């Protein structure tokens, strides 16, 4: 039994929603129809019983005055049984002139009980069926008994039952058919959304991450509209997430390729100079020193690249490990020190400054690295003699640092990618300047880690990098 119930329940769960709702509505309607039918039949049966009792009572009340005077025979009404009984010592004896069935023992018993007052009962007379019997005392020792058949009454009730069954069956069939059609039409938007989901499932997201479809159409009511909107919002979110993931994977692929390329170059140089050093070990000391100097130079360059990669990785994972040691520092003092170091190291680029005290909560070492990278970038990508200007101001609630040069400028298309890792304005990938393509990426990551922003504006003859940091409270 339990297995049968589980199998039936499983089949029910696999049935389509519209069919289940239709069957549920049909079952509910069947219960309502049954309740209405039973109530209606009960009310009608009670009403007819009361009407029959009233007829019996009225008929007997009309006869009582005459019977008390004459003690004659009772009137025969319709197809009723009617008789006048004499009751002596608990025995009822029918008087001549009455009309009784062949077996009148039950009627005689009712007459005995009615000697003390009116009695109304329903009895089943063998061969005649159910009868409604009423007996009432006429005078001392006399009882008038009338019995009306209930066949007509039961027939009327039976006919009402069949009419109700037919009407309710027709109404139930109409309800199920129309309800199924209405539900099919109402659930059609859900089927459309399911079709959209199947279309997306059949789409090769590896080849093209853009989701090809959205749930369209109207109708279905407010709930379906809400579901359709939520479904499309979800698809848009998934589409955006897939696009972001694809872009991130592409950036990672490009980053790995660029990092491999950057590391391979100094490693190749080191290996080549090491081979030359081995073959030239017996040669002049000056030649050996030249090879060792090249090896040290390439090693230093590779160390800078690895340090920058490690710093970027730590900044990307700063939730677990922050590389910053913030303290209250004067940005003008840091900018002044960076400008002095730049002037000493690159005398071919004249530098000027306009510094206003601006205190920020920052890591002075990393902030100095930001300034050095911006100044080095200005020197590397501009010809000798290009002027560089450093300014620090504190308008309102932020500190603003600007590094400006008068070089040839940056193309508009390159400005959008200037902070990408390993991006170089020079597409030839020449490394004569010793750059790694990570300087501005490090600047952006460090400024963002300090809660600030960095931007660039450039035109021929003027390029300005602007760093904005929140002032210390």
């Amino acid at each position: 039994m339990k297995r049968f119930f589980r199998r039936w329940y499983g089949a029910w769960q696999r049935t389509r929603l519209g069919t289940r709702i239709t069957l549920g509505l049909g079952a509910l309607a069947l219960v309502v129809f049954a309740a209405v039918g039973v109530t209606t039949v009960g009310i009608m049966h009670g009403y007819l019983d009361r009407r029959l009792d009233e007829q019996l009572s009225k008929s007997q009340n009309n006869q009582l005055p005459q019977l008390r005077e004459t003690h004659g025979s009772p009137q025969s009404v319709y197809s009723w049984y009617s008789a006048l009984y004499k009751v002596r010592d608990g025995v009822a004896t029918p008087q001549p002139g009455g009309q009784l069935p062949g077996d009148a023992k039950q009627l005689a018993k009712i007459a005995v009980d009615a000697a003390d007052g009116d009695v109304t009962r329903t009895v089943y007379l063998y061969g005649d069926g159910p009868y409604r019997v009423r007996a009432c005392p006429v005078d001392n020792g006399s009882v008038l008994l009338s019995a009306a058949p209930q066949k007509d009454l039961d027939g009327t009730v039976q006919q009402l039952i069949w009419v109700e069954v037919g009407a309710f069956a027709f109404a139930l069939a109409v309800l199920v058919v129309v309800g199924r059609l209405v539900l099919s039409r109402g659930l059609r938007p859900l089927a459309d959304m399911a079709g959209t989901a199947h279309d997306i499932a059949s789409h090769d997201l590896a080849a093209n991450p853009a989701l090809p479809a959205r749930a369209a159409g109207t109708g279905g009511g407010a709930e379906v509209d809400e579901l359709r909107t939520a479904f499309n919002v979800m698809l848009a979110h998934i589409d955006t997430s897939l696009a972001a993931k694809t872009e991130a994977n592409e950036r990672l692929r490009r980053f790995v390729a660029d990092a491999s390329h950057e590391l391979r170059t100094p490693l190749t140089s080191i290996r080549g100079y090491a081979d030359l050093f081995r073959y030239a070990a017996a040669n002049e000391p000056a030649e050996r020193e030249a090879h060792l100097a090249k090896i040290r130079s390439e090693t230093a360059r590779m160390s800078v690249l690895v340090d920058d990669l490690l710093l970027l990785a730590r900044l990307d994972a700063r939730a677990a490990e922050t590389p910053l040691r913030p303290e209250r520092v004067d940005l003008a003092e840091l900018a002044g020190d960076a400008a002095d170091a730049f002037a000493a190291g690159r005398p071919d680029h004249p530098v000027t400054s306009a510094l206003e005290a601006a205190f920020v909560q920052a890591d002075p070492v990393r902030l100095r690295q930001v300034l050095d990278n911006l100044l080095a970038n200005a020197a590397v990508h501009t010809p000798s003699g290009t002027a560089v200007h450093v300014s620090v101001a504190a308008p309102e609630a932020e500190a603003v640092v600007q590094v400006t040069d008068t070089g040839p400028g940056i193309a508009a298309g390159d400005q959008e990618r200037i902070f990408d890792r390993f991006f170089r304005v020079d597409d030839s990938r020449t490394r004569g300047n010793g750059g790694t393509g990570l300087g501005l990426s490090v600047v952006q990551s460090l400024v963002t880690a300090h809660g600030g922003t960095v931007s660039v504006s450039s035109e021929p003859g003027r390029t300005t990098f602007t760093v904005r940091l929140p002032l210390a409270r």
Side-chain angles (χ1 to χ4, degrees), residues 12 38 45 67 134 146 173 186 228 256 379 405 422 436 459:
W12 171 260
V38 170
H45 198 282
L67 291 175
R134 186 178 190 277
S146 300
R228 185 186 297 109
V256 172
D405 66 69
F422 293 112
T436 64
E459 59 184 19

Side-chain angles (χ1 to χ4, degrees), residues 272-283:
Y273 286 121
D275 291 339
L276 289 174
F277 180 80
R278 185 182 63 181
Y279 293 138
N283 295 342

Side-chain angles (χ1 to χ4, degrees), residues 270 273-274 276-278 285-300:
I270 291 172
Y273 286 121
L276 289 174
F277 180 80
R278 185 182 63 181
E287 187 175 355
R288 293 198 303 271
E289 287 299 325
H291 293 330
L292 287 175
K294 290 291 186 179
I295 291 174
R296 284 193 295 269
S297 175
E298 293 298 330
T299 303

Side-chain angles (χ1 to χ4, degrees), residues 243-443:
K245 183 178 179 181
T246 302
E247 183 180 357
N249 289 337
E250 180 62 24
R251 285 200 306 267
L252 178 61
R253 185 195 62 77
R254 189 168 57 247
F255 176 80
V256 172
D258 290 339
S260 301
H261 188 80
E262 293 292 339
L263 289 172
R264 182 178 62 184
T265 301
L267 287 174
T268 303
S269 299
I270 291 172
R271 184 174 60 185
Y273 286 121
D275 291 339
L276 289 174
F277 180 80
R278 185 182 63 181
Y279 293 138
N283 295 342
E284 294 296 326
E287 187 175 355
R288 293 198 303 271
E289 287 299 325
H291 293 330
L292 287 175
K294 290 291 186 179
I295 291 174
R296 284 193 295 269
S297 175
E298 293 298 330
T299 303
R301 181 170 176 271
M302 188 168 62
S303 297
V304 171
L305 175 62
V306 172
D307 289 341
D308 286 345
L309 289 174
L310 179 60
L311 176 60
L312 289 172
R314 294 177 64 190
L315 289 172
D316 289 341
R318 60 182 178 271
E321 177 187 8
T322 175
L324 303 180
R325 301 292 183 268
E327 60 183 67
R328 185 180 176 87
V329 61
D330 186 1
L331 194 55
E333 182 179 348
L334 282 179
D337 294 342
D340 293 341
F342 178 80
R346 300 183 184 269
D348 54 339
H349 285 76
V351 61
T352 58
S353 60
L355 308 176
E356 177 185 342
F359 290 91
V360 295
Q361 194 73 18
D363 186 332
V365 175
R366 297 304 182 186
L367 212 53
R368 174 62 184 273
Q369 185 177 359
V370 169
L371 296 169
D372 289 342
N373 283 2
L374 290 176
L375 289 169
N377 182 76
V380 167
H381 297 287
T382 58
S384 298
T386 301
V388 179
H389 180 73
V390 181
S391 66
V392 177
E396 299 181 356
E398 62 181 2
V400 179
V401 182
Q402 290 186 324
V403 177
T404 304
D405 66 69
T406 57
I410 305 171
D414 294 334
Q415 293 180 34
E416 299 178 357
R417 297 187 56 199
I418 196 69
F419 295 105
D420 289 352
R421 298 174 186 182
F422 293 112
F423 176 77
R424 288 188 179 86
V425 175
D426 183 7
D427 293 333
S428 65
R429 290 186 175 270
T430 57
R431 293 170 177 77
N433 53 27
T436 64
L438 292 176
L440 292 180
S441 298
V442 171
V443 167

Side-chain angles (χ1 to χ4, degrees), residues 166-219:
F168 289 162
F170 177 76
L172 182 61
V174 172
L175 176 64
V176 170
V177 173
V178 175
R180 188 68 181 92
L181 293 176
V182 172
L183 284 173
S184 298
R185 185 178 181 84
L187 295 176
R188 188 175 302 165
L190 298 181
D192 294 339
M193 281 185 272
T196 302
H198 287 302
D199 291 341
I200 294 173
S202 63
H203 181 66
D204 186 6
L205 296 179
N208 182 13
L211 297 181
R214 292 291 187 273
T218 57

